[in-house]
Amino acid sequence: MQITIKYFGQIAEVTKLEEESLEFSGSLVSDLIEVLNKKYSKLINKDFQIAQNQELVSNETEITGQEIALLPPFAGG
Amino acid sequence: MQITIKYFGQIAEVTKLEEESLEFSGSLVSDLIEVLNKKYSKLINKDFQIAQNQELVSNETEITGQEIALLPPFAGG
Amino acid sequence: MKDKKPKSVFKEGAITSDFIGNSIYKHQTKTSIGAHNIFLGQVRADEIDGKTVSAIEYTAYEDMANQKSHDIRESAFEKFELTCMHIYHSLGTVKAGEICLFVFVSSPRRKVVFEALEFIVEAIKADVPVFGKEIFEDESHQWKKNT
Amino acid sequence: MKDKKPKSVFKEGAITSDFIGNSIYKHQTKTSIGAHNIFLGQVRADEIDGKTVSAIEYTAYEDMANQKSHDIRESAFEKFELTCMHIYHSLGTVKAGEICLFVFVSSPRRKVVFEALEFIVEAIKADVPVFGKEIFEDESHQWKKNT
């Protein structure tokens, strides 16, 4: 399936883009992380969480193809 | 001894003055309250504390003649 | 015995939003501050037995009030890591909707400002001899009492 | 799915003391309010490895941040008896000494504002996806992380 991923802050610094579309054949968040770690080797050392449809999700969550984002540590305030 | 008493808020409304000098022959705060209750009969129903030298004192505190004040309930803020 | 008079916390009349804004502005040169916390007491138009409060007239035992405010200030600085702290209270008439108390604390970090501000405001309410006459629209009055 | 976009909490650049003063002023018509509590986050000129932070550049996952702020707002109104509540956060560059977060709660009574404000500020820090790039005076940078 075709998915769109948004990158923010330090993560966007690594990927050098803020958004991209990918063909994704896995099913879980952990599968997606594996794909991204291969594509962007520097991601492995970075601290991030994944949001799907604007909610944080765990590695075991199924990817439904809705809005996906890689979020580095929050720094509001 | 000659003492000066300050009255505030609702208490000053009862005494109709903000400050007065009295000849006082007792020794404790409770003696002073007795004198004042006689002088101002409406004081008996009022809620107040006594400060001597800007500190709240109990009925058993000795009157030393320094700054004495009758303080109704605080309403700051 | 106290050897010098503490700074006065009193201001005649309401504390304006301009005064508060300006006070915030002045803290922007203090770049070690990360968090400010501000408490504002505003006069409520309470309805009591069918009559509405239109203003509070504040009086105080000023010398004792300034001394007690100074003591609260000292113990707040002792308890909490604060960069600065300010207390202002109105005297005289403050209309419903206007501000009568302004407490401002600042610190490098946020956790401490919450605790410090609540400590200071509660101490002011409990220990500072300020008296409030609630004036109703028909010019009758009653005496306010902190709870 | 959310049926409408929540109100944005973001403002471009620093939050000015004028804006804060004006926001306080606007609440003086609400005469059921007795207590306001305001939290301000200010950018610190931290020194890290001999270099000083001169500004923070804020970015956000805006849709999610506005939705999370809306959720925080809803749960604050559910938990606490508040008359009103406002959240503003900066985007873009905010210099050391300038204000990047403004949270404002108001209630008839004071006890509730202390609890409510701390709840809201902690929730913003934990749940709202805002990112901060600390810019040093030599134009190098590091990424800020809430603790």
Side-chain angles (χ1 to χ4, degrees):
Chain A
M1 108 188 101
Q2 195 72 14
I3 59 172
T4 300
I5 311 176
K6 292 169 186 281
Y7 303 109
F8 291 94
Q10 191 169 21
I11 302 303
E13 217 172 38
V14 166
T15 60
K16 295 190 171 63
L17 32 81
E18 295 188 340
E19 190 169 325
E20 69 178 324
S21 283
L22 282 182
E23 180 57 34
F24 176 63
S25 58
S27 67
L28 304 183
V29 165
S30 56
D31 301 331
L32 178 63
I33 292 176
E34 207 178 305
V35 169
L36 294 173
N37 278 343
K38 263 182 208 146
K39 188 164 180 189
Y40 305 105
S41 62
K42 284 185 186 156
L43 264 190
I44 295 166
N45 307 312
K46 299 297 176 195
D47 184 9
F48 63 86
Q49 295 177 287
I50 294 202
Q52 177 164 253
N53 195 26
Q54 301 179 20
E55 292 293 340
L56 296 178
V57 289
S58 75
N59 282 353
E60 291 72 40
T61 306
E62 205 177 323
I63 296 284
T64 60
Q66 291 177 304
E67 197 172 323
I68 289 163
L70 265 65
L71 307 177
F74 298 174
Chain B
M1 97 189 108
Q2 195 73 11
I3 59 173
T4 300
I5 311 176
K6 292 170 188 282
Y7 304 109
F8 291 93
Q10 191 168 20
I11 303 303
E13 216 172 41
V14 166
T15 60
K16 296 189 172 62
L17 32 80
E18 293 188 343
E19 191 170 324
E20 70 178 322
S21 282
L22 281 182
E23 181 56 35
F24 175 63
S25 57
S27 67
L28 303 183
V29 166
S30 56
D31 300 331
L32 178 62
I33 292 176
E34 207 178 307
V35 169
L36 294 173
N37 277 342
K38 261 180 209 145
K39 187 160 181 194
Y40 303 105
S41 62
K42 284 186 185 156
L43 264 190
I44 295 167
N45 306 313
K46 299 297 176 194
D47 184 9
F48 62 86
Q49 293 178 288
I50 293 201
Q52 175 163 254
N53 196 26
Q54 300 179 20
E55 291 295 338
L56 295 178
V57 289
S58 75
N59 281 353
E60 290 73 42
T61 305
E62 204 176 322
I63 295 284
T64 60
Q66 291 176 303
E67 196 171 324
I68 289 163
L70 264 65
L71 308 177
F74 299 173
Chain C
M1 290 286 77
K2 286 92 190 181
D3 38 26
K4 65 167 189 161
K5 273 205 175 187
K7 196 176 153 239
S8 176
V9 299
F10 293 107
K11 285 181 69 73
E12 194 58 37
I15 296 162
T16 65
S17 55
D18 273 357
F19 180 83
I20 298 160
N22 194 41
S23 180
I24 293 166
Y25 178 73
K26 283 188 203 152
H27 286 75
Q28 305 208 328
T29 54
K30 301 200 178 179
T31 57
S32 67
I33 293 173
H36 302 289
N37 199 353
I38 293 172
F39 179 86
L40 302 174
Q42 184 167 299
V43 172
R44 277 198 313 271
D46 278 350
E47 205 189 296
I48 300 160
D49 299 332
K51 298 194 291 186
T52 304
V53 172
S54 64
I56 296 181
E57 233 178 80
Y58 285 105
T59 53
Y61 181 8
E62 288 190 52
D63 284 349
M64 179 174 165
N66 284 320
Q67 186 57 50
K68 287 289 170 194
S69 301
H70 179 80
D71 296 347
I72 291 167
R73 185 182 164 80
E74 297 284 288
S75 63
F77 272 111
E78 222 165 84
K79 272 181 206 288
F80 307 104
E81 194 211 337
L82 296 178
T83 309
C84 36
M85 150 175 184
H86 305 277
I87 301 174
Y88 300 96
H89 199 293
S90 295
L91 281 185
T93 303
V94 182
K95 290 187 207 125
E98 291 183 330
I99 289 162
C100 58
L101 173 62
F102 171 27
V103 184
F104 189 176
V105 298
S106 310
S107 169
R109 311 219 159 251
R110 77 181 179 281
K111 302 268 180 195
V112 78
V113 295
F114 296 116
E115 265 187 281
L117 187 69
E118 187 166 6
F119 166 84
I120 296 161
V121 171
E122 294 303 325
I124 292 169
K125 297 261 181 185
D127 300 339
V128 178
V130 171
F131 315 104
K133 193 171 165 179
E134 293 178 314
I135 315 286
F136 296 105
E137 282 159 343
D138 65 358
E139 287 172 36
S140 60
H141 73 265
Q142 74 170 21
W143 291 90
K144 186 175 173 258
K145 192 172 164 171
N146 278 344
T147 48
Chain D
M1 290 285 72
K2 286 94 190 181
D3 39 25
K4 63 166 190 161
K5 274 205 174 186
K7 197 177 153 236
S8 175
V9 299
F10 293 108
K11 284 182 70 74
E12 195 56 39
I15 295 161
T16 65
S17 55
D18 274 356
F19 180 83
I20 298 160
N22 194 39
S23 181
I24 293 167
Y25 178 73
K26 283 188 203 150
H27 286 75
Q28 305 208 327
T29 53
K30 301 199 178 182
T31 56
S32 67
I33 293 173
H36 303 288
N37 199 351
I38 293 171
F39 179 86
L40 303 174
Q42 185 166 298
V43 172
R44 278 196 314 268
D46 279 349
E47 205 189 296
I48 299 159
D49 299 331
K51 298 193 289 186
T52 304
V53 171
S54 64
I56 296 180
E57 232 176 81
Y58 286 105
T59 53
Y61 181 8
E62 289 190 52
D63 285 348
M64 178 174 166
N66 284 320
Q67 185 57 51
K68 289 290 170 193
S69 301
H70 179 80
D71 296 347
I72 291 167
R73 186 183 164 80
E74 298 283 288
S75 62
F77 271 111
E78 221 165 84
K79 273 182 207 288
F80 307 104
E81 194 210 336
L82 297 177
T83 310
C84 35
M85 145 172 190
H86 306 277
I87 301 174
Y88 301 95
H89 199 294
S90 294
L91 281 186
T93 303
V94 182
K95 290 188 207 129
E98 291 183 331
I99 289 163
C100 57
L101 174 62
F102 170 28
V103 184
F104 189 176
V105 298
S106 310
S107 170
R109 312 218 159 250
R110 78 182 179 282
K111 302 269 181 195
V112 78
V113 294
F114 295 117
E115 265 188 282
L117 188 69
E118 186 165 7
F119 166 83
I120 295 161
V121 171
E122 293 304 325
I124 292 169
K125 297 262 180 185
D127 300 338
V128 177
V130 171
F131 316 105
K133 194 172 164 179
E134 293 178 313
I135 316 286
F136 296 106
E137 281 160 343
D138 65 358
E139 288 175 35
S140 62
H141 73 265
Q142 74 170 23
W143 291 90
K144 185 176 174 254
K145 192 173 164 171
N146 279 344
T147 49

